[in-house]
Amino acid sequence: MSMSVKDRLATNKTKLSKKPHITVETDICDTTCTHKCTTRVCPAKCFEIVNDKMAFQYEDCIECGTCLHACDQGAVSWKFPESGHGITFRLG
Amino acid sequence: MEDEKFDCIIVGGGVAGCAAAKVLADNNMKILLVEKGEWTGSKNVSGGVLYGPTPWEIFPELKNTLENPPFERFINRRRLSFMSDDSSFSIDYKSQKYDNVPYNGVSVLRSKFDRWLGEQVEESIAKSDFAEDSFVATEVMVEELIIKDGKVCGIRAGEDEFESDCVILAEGVNSLLTRSIGLQKEIVDAKYVATGIKEVWQYDQDLLEAKFQLDGLEGVSNEFVGCTKGIEGGGFLYTNKDSISLGLVLGIKDLRDSNETVYDLLDSFKDHTSIKPLLKGGKMVEYSAHVVPVGDIDMIPKQLYTDGAVVVGDAAGLVLNTGKSIEGMNLAMESGRQAALAIIEAKKKRDFSKASLKSYQDRLSESYVMKDLRNFQGAFHFIHNPDMFKKYPDLVNSIMNDVFLVDGQEKKKTRDIIKKAVDESDLSYWDLMKTSIQGGLSL
């Protein structure tokens, strides 16, 4: 029954923008942040620890807003993708 | 259309924005509804059940669609399940009293439903005096509000600027524009919001109807508590036409303070003995997530208006959690309607100042939206007692297990079963008494 997040995301349609709509100051995550909660709360697994460092990618983002509200360290700058880009849900 | 000034620009093609736009267009206002997605609803997600008569009043066309409705099913069966790791106890109510239009609730898939709402707005525009001058514009991402002399007077999207007498902010819970003009705090605390994470599972329609005992257009809604490993929140399962919406809503502050991962929590919910067999024969066809206000009145801005702008729906934090159901979309639509009516008045007075738009908040205060929100804050706090998410569901299941147990031993009376279960739980009789009194008073 268990599916990987990648497989789950594959059911969605996204028109990728070249510009990232979310930027993360990963220095904050790597130094002062003690919980690194975004690695657990982002439903699209956009935040991962790779070689002991926070790695963020916006490509899989489904624009839910969880990281905008979960990060209490001021590391996440959050916007929607530019006009005509990002996630499209067929069902929603 | 750049040279033309609109009476009102509505930012966001969700249920609140479409409701507001519909009422404005029906009242001959010159409007622009902007939506950042490909169509109204294309980026929208909810559980979701839309409750009550509000949508039927604002969109009376709904009742002509019952052969092929834009919603999924009407809800005439409600279940609330208390889950422990290996058991589940449910309250189950079905009634034909819920079988008639306007339905008590309908399940919706927002990308389909809000698209239909947007089409209705276009039809209302076509019948209005501004058939050529009012618009529903998609793929328009509003980057900022235009402010002149302290008054909101339009929007900017990329190179394009559009002017209006006022703006309705219906941008949803990730309310960047609302925050940019100080109507909402710049940082909304994690305790006020939850993450909804959802999968849609599709079935052959006959199989779905057999599995969930559905006849015709009827549907079931099932909410779950105890399936979140103690984290604030719960689960949901709603039947759609040929699919189900299945997921969890998880308090973001609790999630942050835990060691849990959202998709692992979802997997463990799906593996529960009362869910797993339901998924057999189905196919996961869409994965989505969205932040949702938890229903704390403290999140709602004290002032929902400013010079030239009002805020509605999730952007205003209008979600009602009564412990019996979670209502958000109907409140959003009602707030959209009240905002539209206030703006129609403002147009007559040619006054879109703060003092004039205050009538929106007055109207909302007098409507069921704020009345229910005020009356049920006790319920909200009652069900956000942390024991509700684990200890009580475990206790209920522990009692029910012994109630139904036949093990060849001398049977215990119910009184002794309850005593044993309470003694084995982390809850005291004092906790139980306090909880029953609070529950009795608040729910």
Side-chain angles (χ1 to χ4, degrees):
Chain A
M1 207 62 76
S2 180
M3 271 174 100
S4 75
V5 172
K6 279 273 175 222
D7 287 345
R8 283 172 173 153
L9 291 169
T11 59
N12 292 332
K13 181 183 146 198
T14 304
K15 190 172 164 201
L16 205 58
S17 165
K18 288 198 179 73
K19 277 193 295 200
H21 57 288
I22 297 172
T23 53
V24 181
E25 281 188 55
T26 53
D27 279 354
I28 296 176
C29 316
D30 293 335
T31 54
T32 48
C33 179
T34 53
H35 52 67
K36 299 180 185 26
C37 74
T38 48
T39 60
R40 295 179 293 102
V41 304
C42 171
K45 233 177 179 171
C46 291
F47 298 77
E48 285 186 281
I49 302 290
V50 180
N51 300 329
D52 293 331
K53 298 259 186 210
M54 179 67 84
F56 170 76
Q57 48 87 13
Y58 71 98
E59 287 86 344
D60 287 337
C61 176
I62 50 178
E63 298 162 40
C64 71
T66 304
C67 62
L68 167 69
H69 294 94
C71 173
D72 57 355
Q73 306 287 313
V76 173
S77 303
W78 201 97
K79 285 205 168 111
F80 288 103
E82 61 186 317
S83 294
H85 291 79
I87 189 82
T88 292
F89 293 114
R90 287 168 296 109
L91 305 168
Chain B
M1 64 186 183
E2 282 85 346
D3 311 326
E4 298 280 341
K5 185 177 175 185
F6 296 95
D7 291 328
C8 183
I9 295 174
I10 305 103
V11 181
V15 287
C18 288
K22 174 76 160 56
V23 174
L24 290 169
D26 284 343
N27 284 276
N28 265 325
M29 301 280 281
K30 187 173 158 191
I31 60 162
L32 171 64
L33 170 63
V34 291
E35 160 57 39
K36 61 185 177 302
E38 274 186 73
W39 58 84
T40 56
S42 73
K43 287 180 184 280
N44 300 355
V45 179
S46 65
V49 178
L50 169 54
Y51 291 102
T54 304
W56 302 83
E57 293 163 2
I58 302 172
F59 294 87
E61 303 82 358
L62 257 183
K63 64 178 182 297
N64 306 326
T65 67
L66 301 184
E67 292 291 309
N68 184 23
F71 61 87
E72 299 298 311
R73 289 177 177 276
F74 70 83
I75 303 298
N76 66 354
R77 183 174 175 200
R78 302 282 302 268
R79 279 165 65 92
L80 175 62
S81 303
F82 299 88
M83 277 183 163
S84 66
D85 288 347
D86 58 4
S87 320
S88 125
F89 172 74
S90 299
I91 299 167
D92 188 324
Y93 181 72
K94 181 175 180 180
S95 174
Q96 288 188 308
K97 290 197 173 67
Y98 292 152
D99 282 5
N100 302 310
V101 169
Y103 297 121
N104 194 59
V106 292
S107 55
V108 291
L109 291 166
R110 296 287 298 281
S111 187
K112 287 166 66 182
F113 186 71
D114 296 8
R115 189 176 203 162
W116 181 86
L117 296 181
E119 288 163 7
Q120 300 311 302
V121 172
E122 284 183 324
E123 295 207 2
S124 284
I125 286 173
K127 285 183 224 150
S128 78
D129 293 348
F130 298 100
E132 306 295 321
D133 307 298
S134 282
F135 304 92
V136 175
T138 55
E139 302 198 311
V140 177
M141 165 59 202
V142 179
E143 278 143 56
E144 62 181 5
L145 296 170
I146 302 171
I147 297 170
K148 282 182 195 155
D149 303 326
K151 180 189 172 301
V152 177
C153 51
I155 58 168
R156 190 183 64 76
E159 318 253 289
D160 298 324
E161 291 194 351
F162 304 100
E163 285 190 25
S164 63
D165 284 326
C166 70
V167 173
I168 296 179
L169 297 162
E171 54 179 337
V173 66
N174 300 315
S175 54
L176 302 184
L177 299 171
T178 308
R179 297 174 195 194
S180 77
I181 55 166
L183 278 183
Q184 178 58 281
K185 292 192 187 78
E186 199 181 336
I187 294 170
V188 172
D189 195 279
K191 73 178 176 192
Y192 295 128
V193 280
T195 291
I197 172 171
K198 168 169 127 172
E199 290 181 1
V200 179
W201 284 69
Q202 195 169 43
Y203 303 77
D204 170 78
Q205 193 172 326
D206 289 338
L207 176 64
L208 178 93
E209 288 173 358
K211 263 181 189 288
F212 292 92
Q213 304 163 30
L214 308 173
D215 188 23
L217 203 58
E218 68 182 14
V220 56
S221 75
N222 198 162
E223 279 92 15
F224 303 82
V225 284
C227 54
T228 55
K229 309 220 159 126
I231 288 172
E232 171 197 338
F236 60 86
L237 188 163
Y238 304 126
T239 52
N240 303 315
K241 192 172 176 221
D242 64 353
S243 65
I244 60 168
S245 295
L246 176 78
L248 296 175
V249 177
L250 301 158
I252 293 183
K253 184 175 184 302
D254 257 17
L255 258 183
R256 182 169 70 204
D257 297 342
S258 75
N259 285 312
E260 304 294 340
T261 303
V262 285
Y263 24 85
D264 291 341
L265 286 167
L266 182 60
D267 278 340
S268 125
F269 176 53
K270 284 162 55 190
D271 268 339
H272 192 277
T273 181
S274 62
I275 301 292
K276 199 173 175 179
L278 297 175
L279 300 180
K280 223 167 136 184
K283 182 173 181 259
M284 207 284 272
V285 292
E286 190 170 272
Y287 176 67
S288 58
H290 213 282
V291 168
V292 55
V294 293
D296 190 331
I297 206 164
D298 290 343
M299 179 190 168
I300 302 171
K302 294 281 170 288
Q303 197 178 307
L304 297 171
Y305 55 93
T306 185
D307 286 309
V310 295
V311 55
V312 298
D314 270 8
L318 301 176
V319 169
L320 174 72
N321 190 339
T322 61
K324 289 156 278 196
S325 54
I326 298 176
E327 301 177 27
M329 291 181 276
N330 55 336
L331 273 57
M333 294 181 92
E334 188 61 47
S335 66
R337 164 158 66 179
Q338 297 305 334
L341 293 173
I343 285 163
I344 293 162
E345 271 174 32
K347 166 107 199 250
K348 282 183 196 145
K349 293 187 283 181
R350 295 170 193 256
D351 180 2
F352 295 90
S353 69
K354 204 189 278 189
S356 172
L357 294 179
K358 177 177 179 293
S359 72
Y360 158 56
Q361 186 141 5
D362 296 340
R363 287 172 163 280
L364 201 65
S365 260
E366 286 306 304
S367 75
Y368 72 86
V369 174
M370 291 312 294
K371 283 183 178 164
D372 285 348
L373 270 162
R374 288 189 294 262
N375 288 340
F376 282 92
Q377 278 307 289
F380 166 77
H381 291 292
F382 170 71
I383 55 171
H384 279 70
N385 169 355
D387 292 343
M388 287 297 160
F389 306 117
K390 177 103 182 94
K391 289 182 188 170
Y392 281 104
D394 280 352
L395 177 68
V396 169
N397 281 287
S398 154
I399 292 169
M400 294 319 294
N401 181 60
D402 282 358
V403 166
F404 292 127
L405 182 70
V406 180
D407 62 353
Q409 307 290 315
E410 186 186 344
K411 286 195 202 322
K412 287 196 269 306
K413 294 266 191 170
T414 307
R415 190 188 59 192
D416 298 324
I417 289 173
I418 293 174
K419 184 175 182 312
K420 173 173 164 266
V422 175
D423 288 346
E424 284 171 5
S425 79
D426 294 335
L427 295 160
S428 65
Y429 283 101
W430 169 243
D431 289 329
L432 289 178
M433 208 164 70
K434 208 170 58 179
T435 303
S436 350
I437 294 170
Q438 283 171 346
L441 292 173
S442 66
L443 292 178

